[in-house]
Amino acid sequence: PCRSFHGYNRLLTSQIISHYDSVNQYKKELPEYFNFASDVLDEWSQLEKDGRKPANPAFWWVNEEGEEVKWSFEELGLLSRKAANVFSEACGLQRGDRVIAVLPRVPEWWLLNVACMRTGIVLIPGTSQLTAKDILYRLQASKAKGIITSDTLAPAVESVVPDSQFLKSKLIVGKRSRDGWLNFRELL
């Protein structure tokens, strides 16, 4: 059904129109409520639990030193539920609240994304190259109630906290604790 034109196969115009019509005639039923974490991730997790699907990595992270983190769908689902509990219980955040994440691409970065989807918390990602002035601007403009960062960026956040009237909780992703901060890994 394809005609060769200068050595390449090309669809005939009638075929393209026919395909377009068939796509447009399909009536898509959109769900009233969709949540990626519960509707997709938890479904795949259940398939693993039931033995209907092998435990393949849902997440596989490797850093420059060769350290690996591998999570199956079941593990990612469980960890994201724990992270969601950290947000709601330890941080007092709820659906619609905004959280800024200023982190390098560590495994927790993806975990926080899924936890925010699960809870309805709005995640505002920020690069780890932000300065204190940039962080302050984002905190004020977004009216974020929480911030998540690494121990190397925590001093920049601390320098602007007095000017951040909406900020309720500060989470640190690191091996060490810091005064005035909740340690995400310990709470998880």
Side-chain angles (χ1 to χ4, degrees):
C2 294
R3 185 184 323 172
S4 183
F5 182 70
H6 293 295
Y8 296 100
N9 290 332
R10 298 194 123 177
L11 289 174
L12 298 172
T13 305
S14 62
Q15 290 173 308
I16 295 171
I17 291 171
S18 172
H19 177 70
Y20 179 77
D21 287 342
S22 68
V23 169
N24 278 339
Q25 290 174 5
Y26 177 67
K27 302 287 187 226
K28 296 178 186 166
E29 290 190 29
L30 298 175
E32 185 177 328
Y33 176 79
F34 175 80
N35 184 301
F36 175 81
S38 58
D39 294 334
V40 177
L41 181 62
D42 290 350
E43 287 296 318
W44 280 73
S45 174
Q46 192 61 49
L47 291 173
E48 282 183 2
K49 282 182 190 175
D50 296 345
R52 292 183 286 158
K53 195 152 191 57
N56 288 321
F59 178 81
W60 192 347
W61 176 88
V62 182
N63 70 6
E64 296 84 25
E65 290 82 39
E67 295 174 273
E68 283 187 356
V69 172
K70 267 189 201 182
W71 294 324
S72 67
F73 286 93
E74 187 176 350
E75 291 168 325
L76 182 57
L78 176 67
L79 289 170
S80 68
R81 283 188 292 280
K82 287 182 175 184
N85 288 338
V86 168
F87 285 149
S88 60
E89 294 170 13
C91 299
L93 300 172
Q94 52 191 305
R95 180 186 241 359
D97 287 344
R98 294 171 199 92
V99 172
I100 296 177
V102 185
L103 289 169
R105 296 306 180 248
V106 293
E108 290 84 358
W109 191 87
W110 281 274
L111 183 57
L112 294 165
N113 272 275
V114 177
C116 283
M117 288 179 209
R118 189 174 290 286
T119 58
I121 293 171
V122 179
L123 181 75
I124 303 167
T127 174
S128 56
Q129 297 174 331
L130 293 177
T131 65
K133 181 181 174 183
D134 298 326
I135 293 168
L136 176 61
Y137 172 77
R138 283 161 175 77
L139 284 168
Q140 290 176 337
S142 68
K143 299 178 182 169
K145 292 186 178 177
I147 190 160
I148 307 153
T149 194
S150 64
D151 49 1
T152 56
L153 294 166
V157 173
E158 287 174 340
S159 71
V160 299
V161 165
D163 298 321
S164 307
Q165 65 210 36
F166 299 100
L167 192 62
K168 289 183 357 182
S169 61
K170 301 177 295 186
L171 276 172
I172 194 163
V173 175
K175 294 176 184 169
R176 298 180 302 222
S177 294
R178 189 175 186 94
D179 288 340
W181 289 77
L182 299 170
N183 187 299
F184 179 73
R185 289 179 181 167
E186 289 174 7
L187 291 169
L188 199 60

